[in-house]
Each structure stands twice: as structure tokens, then as C-alpha cells.
Amino acid sequence: MLEWIHQNLPFILAGISVGGQYALIAIGYTMVYGILRLINFAHGDIFMVSGVVMVYATTLLTRQFPNNPGVVLVIAILFVIGLTVLIGFCTEKVAYKPLRSAPRMSVMISAIGVSYLLQNLSTYVTGGLAQAYPNIPWLRTEIQIGGITVRRLAILTPVLTILLVIALVIVIKHTKMGMAMRAVAKDFDTAQLMGIRIDRVISITFVIGSFLAAVGSILYFSYIGQVSPTIGAMPGLKSFVAAVFGGIGSVPGAVIGSYIIGICETFIKSNQDISIFSNAFTFALLIIILLIKPNGLFGEKLKEKV
């Protein structure tokens, strides 16, 4: 067993790193669904826009501070996180809030429309070409672990993901806003009758999801090294699958589902004979888990009111 772990340690670490990146996106899906019963199909594209903004922000700031690359990266990261949060906030206000009482199909179509709008805007700005993602040295620096060489990113990603998830759970379990979120997720109408400011709760949910997507984009695009207008679709779908796999509406479930998918996907990609099926595996796994456990691994059975 120890020998197998040592031989496959690079794939395990890579899978954990990818799983952590998926987890940060999946939490956004699961939180929005838990409160609004809405699949925010634009979430993966908000994640992509965050990466595009990082490319252009570092380019512009480098011209202003050519001799201070560290300052450029810090300012760019803060700007990207802030702008991504603003995009998520505005998306909810413009595309979802006006349709709060509309049929769910209308809201779903609106989400898809926002998704394509963000993709087309990014295509217009970038010309549809993949852009090289800025090099963040303290993420790409290589270190030695167990006799193998890995990027610091592979270690930092799961640590940062776990810390952010712990912070999020503390907010949800031990703050007034977290209590309001749980109340709205449990019974939207009753929470509104009890005086909970529904709009504020929903806005903060989108803000948290967008913040985590921004952090995830920095880690993900630093890992693959480039960003393009359509690149957010597949990570977004896989993160959604991870959220459903773990039990959509459950934050721990989304995280565990993401790590399972990330590790399995990395091992499949490492085998040249079956690497082409790495994406198909994710969706096949979703079908299997839904057949066996429709509510996911940790999802609660929803009771429909008659």
C-alpha cells in the first residue's frame, strides 16, 4: 500500500489540487441552489471572466509598475476578486431578482442567457484567442515532497480550500446572517414572513459564491496556464456534477464530491489508453449516483408541499 501511494503520489496530489479548485466553484452552485432552488448556469462563466480580468489587469498594472511585480500581483488579485464579486452581485440583481416570482424555467433561461453574454463579451475582448495566464511565482514554485517534485500550488490549493470551507461553515453556523441563510434554505416563504431580509440574504449568497469562484479561478488558471472565453464551461459543469454528487445544498457534500471527481479524473488522465474518457467519466458517475442515491451522498430528501 505504501509503495503504491509513493508511486502514485504525483497523481494523488494533482487530483487533490484539482478537486480543491472544483470545490471552490461547486460551493457557489450548492449555496445558490440551497436558497433559491436555482442552478446558476452563469457561475462557470463568472469564474472564466475572473481569469480574463486577471490577464488584462496584470498587463495594465505592469505598465504602471514595471519594477514592482510583487505589487502588481497583489493589486491585480485584489482587483480581480473585488470585480468578480461585483459581477456576481450585479448578475443576481439584474438577471434573477426581477424573475423571483416567475416560473423556474424563466429563471433558468435567464441564467443561460447571462452565461452566453459573458462568453461573447470575453470573446469580443480577447478576440476568441486563449490568453497566457500571469505567472504567480509563489504558486508555481516547485518543491520536493517524498522524493518527487511538485508545484507549491498542489499543496496550497487543498489547504486554502479547507480553510475557506471552515470559515464558511463558521459563518453559516454561528452568525446571524448564517442563521438567516439556513432559515431561507429551509422555508423561503416562512422566512420572509418572519421578517428576514430575503434580498440581502440572496445577495450575500451570490457574493460569497463569486468570491470563492474568484479564488478558484486564480488557482485553476495558474495550474493550466491559460484562459479562453469558453474555458469556464467544463470546470463549471464538473463542479455542478460534484455538487449534485455530494448532495446539492450541502457544502461538505460539494467539497467531498469535488475531491472524489478530481482524484478519479487525474488518474484516468494519467492512463493514455483511457484518458480520452476523463470527461465522460464525470457525467457517467453522476448518472450512476443519481440512480443509486437521487439526492446525492449527503443531500437531504426534499419534501414537496401539496
Side-chain angles (χ1 to χ4, degrees), residues 279-290:
N279 291 335
F281 164 80
T282 302
F283 300 102
L285 183 64
L286 174 64
I287 294 171
I288 293 170
I289 197 66
L290 289 178

Side-chain angles (χ1 to χ4, degrees), residues 234-247:
M234 190 53 69
L237 283 173
K238 290 181 179 179
S239 299
F240 169 65
V241 170
V244 176
F245 179 72

Side-chain angles (χ1 to χ4, degrees), residues 21-288:
Q21 294 155 18
Y22 288 161
L24 293 174
I25 311 172
I27 291 171
Y29 279 110
T30 204
M31 287 185 66
V32 170
Y33 181 85
I35 289 178
L36 287 176
R37 296 296 182 264
L38 162 70
I39 304 301
N40 181 16
F41 287 107
H43 194 59
D45 294 289
I46 291 174
F47 161 84
M48 173 273 297
V49 168
S50 183
V52 172
V53 171
M54 183 67 175
V55 172
Y56 286 92
T58 51
T59 301
L60 293 174
L61 287 168
T62 300
R63 295 174 185 172
Q64 299 295 321
F65 307 99
N67 300 319
N68 295 284
V71 173
V72 167
L73 287 174
V74 171
I75 296 175
I77 289 172
L78 293 176
F79 175 75
V80 165
I81 291 175
L83 185 60
T84 306
V85 167
L86 180 62
I87 292 171
F89 177 83
C90 292
T91 297
E92 191 277 323
K93 292 298 182 185
V94 174
Y96 302 147
K97 184 180 178 181
L99 299 173
R100 195 71 51 80
S101 59
R104 290 185 183 179
M105 182 61 69
S106 300
V107 185
M108 185 181 299
I109 292 171
S110 180
I112 295 172
V114 172
S115 173
Y116 279 103
L117 174 63
L118 293 174
Q119 283 188 29
N120 281 271
L121 285 174
S122 298
T123 301
Y124 176 78
V125 171
T126 64
L129 301 175
Q131 306 292 314
Y133 198 74
N135 179 28
I136 303 178
W138 33 275
L139 288 180
R140 294 188 180 180
T141 302
E142 294 184 341
I143 57 176
Q144 292 285 332
I145 295 181
I148 64 170
T149 302
V150 296
R151 289 181 181 178
R152 189 176 293 169
L153 178 68
I155 306 300
L156 180 62
T157 298
V159 173
L160 183 59
T161 301
I162 291 170
L163 290 176
L164 288 173
V165 170
I166 291 173
L168 178 59
V169 171
I170 291 173
V171 168
I172 292 174
K173 297 291 185 182
H174 302 288
T175 67
K176 288 184 178 179
M177 179 51 63
M179 186 182 298
M181 287 179 176
R182 285 184 283 128
V184 174
K186 195 71 175 176
D187 194 319
F188 189 97
D189 295 329
T190 302
Q192 194 169 22
L193 292 173
M194 294 298 291
I196 292 176
R197 298 170 63 182
I198 298 293
D199 290 341
R200 185 184 178 195
V201 171
I202 293 171
S203 294
I204 290 178
T205 301
F206 273 83
V207 164
I208 292 173
S210 299
F211 169 79
L212 294 175
V215 175
S217 79
I218 294 170
L219 298 172
Y220 182 82
F221 294 124
S222 292
Y223 179 74
I224 66 173
Q226 66 177 15
V227 56
S228 63
T230 58
I231 201 169
M234 190 53 69
L237 283 173
K238 290 181 179 179
S239 299
F240 169 65
V241 170
V244 176
F245 179 72
I248 195 160
S250 168
V251 172
V255 175
I256 293 172
S258 297
Y259 277 118
I260 292 173
I261 288 175
I263 292 171
C264 291
E265 177 185 304
T266 302
F267 272 97
I268 292 173
K269 285 183 176 179
S270 68
N271 188 323
Q272 293 183 352
D273 295 332
I274 59 173
S275 60
I276 194 172
F277 297 106
S278 60
N279 291 335
F281 164 80
T282 302
F283 300 102
L285 183 64
L286 174 64
I287 294 171
I288 293 170

